[in-house]
Amino acid sequence: MYEQPLRDMNINGVGSSSGGSFHRITLNGMATINGDASCNSFRGSGTSKVKGSLTTPSAQIDGTCSINGHLRAAQCRINGMATVDGMLNSDTLETQGKLTVHRDCEAERVTINGMFSIDGLLNAGTIDATILGACRAREIGGESITVRQGRMNSFSRMVTSLFTSPYLEADTIEGDEIVLEYTKARIVRGSMVVIGPGCEIDHVEYKVGLDVHNQAKVNRTTKL
Amino acid sequence: MIEDQLISKKDLLDLTGISYGQLYRWKRKDLIPEDWFIRKSTFTGQETFFPKEKILERIDKIVNMKDNLSLDELADMFSPNLASMALTKAELIDRNIITEIAMQLFTEQTGDAEAYSFEQIIYVYALDQMLQTGQMSIEEGKRLLQVLREHFKKLQGKGSELVMLRNMGSTSFLLVTSPSEMYVDHSTKLVAKLSMTECVEQLKVKLT
């Protein structure tokens, strides 16, 4: 595809680049990319900012990263805090920390450990979320959706108990197999649905089976 | 233009027997275009609706073809992007993809060629479709080809429609992105409308 061999971008300390196509992008410290960037592998440590879209087969974000455009990364690992203003398209998405997406988030496999806030649709084949704080998504859809409250150590328990315990808030959750804990949702639709402790669901529609924990509140259930 | 009849997501799944997981997977794979997901508020809250005819036809196709083709291959077929392939004139006519008249009209403009690219075939295919409606004369067909050859590339990757208008006997062709709404005055008649996206799709099916 490219006639010239791609070069690497390395930023250590404070620096900026105007973007483009690269082989490897490594950002350490405070780095800003002022434009779209594509590369074979991306690694951002510290505070990085992309003022455009980032396209790469493999992205690892450690620390804080904000992307003003879309993030397309087949393999995506986030340790820390990431904010994407556009869409997030991925194959395998793993996050530890906080993920914010202002539009839709699509992936085949999503593993979340921590907090997330998605303004659009979270669409994935398998969603495995261990929540450790206030999480939000407008819509969640997929084949298998599992939401569990994470185990907290004494420090995080101290911090969160001052505010609220971890929970997920969503408008609609639709999938084939759904397992939820500590979730507030307007409607949950699926074939096998398990509503665990701490859930507040207005309406559950299920096809095959439904299991509601005695510490869960469900207003209405419908078997299709 | 008449608004398409809508179907709710729930009714759609009931009707077609597919699961939420499948629907979301197909959406992820771009088998179902983003703009078919229409969010509307109902008395129970926000719900997703689809244009009924289009979605039923698409799901029918996916269900029928998913045994033979992978989801990625299916996605290629439904995307408005042009496929890369070339066929000779004889092949096109023999396989009943394009009629001889349409082909002749095209070669008059561009000259004879050994083989035709997908891009060229789609022009002739569209011309053929319009001629077969019986609404368009051969002379107008030449102008249609001109529009397509000059401008179709600019809309590549987007859904597009070809619109034929007639006003007091003079004809104009418009190439517009779809979905779009358009209204014309009383003296102008909307003669025909052809979805180029569908043409690309049909042609891909015929060629494979």
Side-chain angles (χ1 to χ4, degrees):
Chain A
M1 233 171 109
Y2 304 100
E3 290 181 9
Q4 280 181 329
L6 292 173
R7 292 187 298 168
D8 290 352
M9 181 204 290
N10 276 305
I11 295 177
N12 294 305
V14 182
S16 69
S17 152
S18 53
S21 296
F22 296 89
H23 173 55
R24 253 202 301 261
I25 296 181
T26 315
L27 310 173
N28 292 306
M30 261 186 65
T32 310
I33 298 176
N34 293 305
D36 292 351
S38 67
C39 58
N40 294 329
S41 87
F42 175 91
R43 179 140 192 198
S45 312
T47 308
S48 38
K49 228 181 220 175
V50 181
K51 294 189 171 170
S53 295
L54 176 65
T55 310
T56 173
S58 151
Q60 177 159 356
I61 292 162
D62 300 303
T64 321
C65 183
S66 71
I67 293 164
N68 292 133
H70 306 303
L71 171 60
R72 293 184 207 90
Q75 303 288 323
C76 186
R77 255 190 98 95
I78 296 163
N79 298 311
M81 235 169 84
T83 308
V84 181
D85 288 342
M87 298 250 304
L88 198 167
N89 262 299
S90 175
D91 209 43
T92 318
L93 172 66
E94 276 176 54
T95 74
Q96 305 249 6
K98 188 171 185 202
L99 170 70
T100 308
V101 181
H102 288 298
R103 283 175 60 185
D104 293 356
C105 176
E106 292 186 353
E108 285 312 310
R109 226 197 124 74
V110 177
T111 315
I112 291 170
N113 219 309
M115 288 157 78
F116 64 90
S117 161
I118 292 157
D119 292 347
L121 162 73
L122 170 61
N123 180 354
T126 314
I127 299 169
D128 203 336
T130 310
I131 53 174
L132 293 165
C135 297
R136 210 159 52 79
R138 195 196 67 199
E139 254 182 283
I140 301 177
E143 274 130 77
S144 151
I145 300 166
T146 313
V147 177
R148 290 188 193 283
Q149 192 177 47
R151 262 200 212 162
M152 290 182 291
N153 54 36
S154 52
F155 175 73
S156 59
R157 193 173 295 135
M158 208 171 69
V159 176
T160 47
S161 65
L162 293 175
F163 305 100
T164 47
S165 62
Y167 70 97
L168 161 69
E169 212 178 330
D171 181 68
T172 319
I173 300 174
E174 292 171 329
D176 297 344
E177 283 166 34
I178 303 176
V179 180
L180 301 174
E181 269 182 21
Y182 300 94
T183 299
K184 288 179 200 165
R186 186 175 58 84
I187 191 151
V188 174
R189 298 192 179 103
S191 49
M192 257 316 288
V193 182
V194 179
I195 306 287
C199 285
E200 284 175 43
I201 316 278
D202 187 43
H203 190 184
V204 178
E205 282 177 14
Y206 63 101
K207 256 187 208 138
V208 182
L210 171 69
D211 188 14
V212 180
H213 192 272
N214 56 15
Q215 279 170 25
K217 269 193 256 172
V218 175
N219 268 349
R220 219 149 34 103
T221 60
T222 318
K223 184 166 170 40
L224 296 175
Chain B
M1 255 159 248
I2 315 150
E3 197 175 312
D4 288 330
Q5 219 185 332
L6 297 176
I7 184 169
S8 74
K9 196 192 275 172
K10 203 174 138 188
D11 292 341
L12 177 77
L13 297 193
D14 265 357
L15 205 66
T16 53
I18 60 170
S19 71
Y20 285 108
Q22 276 174 306
L23 186 75
Y24 281 108
R25 165 179 284 233
W26 294 344
K27 180 180 192 241
R28 277 203 306 282
K29 293 281 182 192
D30 286 330
L31 294 181
I32 301 167
E34 180 81 44
D35 52 68
W36 288 8
F37 286 75
I38 302 160
R39 295 179 57 77
K40 280 197 161 196
S41 48
T42 61
F43 65 94
T44 53
Q46 289 258 317
E47 296 292 343
T48 308
F49 289 85
F50 298 92
K52 191 171 177 179
E53 241 170 79
K54 286 190 202 163
I55 191 84
L56 287 178
E57 192 194 316
R58 177 64 56 96
I59 287 181
D60 192 51
K61 268 190 202 161
I62 298 172
V63 170
N64 282 327
M65 294 197 290
K66 75 174 160 62
D67 297 333
N68 302 325
L69 294 169
S70 72
L71 286 183
D72 289 329
E73 284 171 315
L74 277 174
D76 277 344
M77 194 144 93
F78 293 134
S79 87
N81 290 326
L82 304 179
S84 55
M85 56 175 79
L87 285 171
T88 63
K89 191 171 158 184
E91 270 180 302
L92 287 171
I93 294 169
D94 283 348
R95 285 169 65 179
N96 278 329
I97 296 165
I98 280 160
T99 60
E100 253 185 293
I101 307 167
M103 201 68 224
Q104 212 179 347
L105 219 69
F106 186 67
T107 45
E108 269 174 31
Q109 274 196 14
T110 57
D112 237 331
E114 192 67 14
Y116 294 90
S117 67
F118 187 86
E119 192 193 323
Q120 288 169 312
I121 300 170
I122 187 75
Y123 301 158
V124 194
Y125 187 76
L127 170 76
D128 213 2
Q129 297 290 308
M130 290 294 273
L131 281 173
Q132 274 170 23
T133 61
Q135 306 269 21
M136 192 179 70
S137 70
I138 300 271
E139 214 43 50
E140 285 166 339
K142 288 181 187 164
R143 301 234 319 265
L144 168 82
L145 273 180
Q146 238 168 31
V147 177
L148 286 177
R149 282 173 51 206
E150 271 170 40
H151 303 296
F152 185 62
K153 273 208 136 164
K154 294 175 195 161
L155 297 177
Q156 207 174 34
K158 292 184 205 161
S160 56
E161 270 176 341
L162 187 72
V163 181
M164 182 179 174
L165 299 172
R166 196 170 279 154
N167 182 9
M168 311 273 228
S170 73
T171 314
S172 338
F173 290 101
L174 299 176
L175 194 60
V176 296
T177 53
S178 72
S180 64
E181 288 180 50
M182 62 176 79
Y183 305 95
V184 293
D185 64 88
H186 290 301
S187 60
T188 308
K189 198 179 154 226
L190 205 156
V191 183
K193 213 165 90 170
L194 182 71
S195 163
M196 290 304 288
T197 319
E198 261 168 50
C199 280
V200 172
E201 208 184 296
Q202 286 167 5
L203 197 56
K204 278 179 187 166
V205 176
K206 284 191 181 183
L207 293 180
T208 42

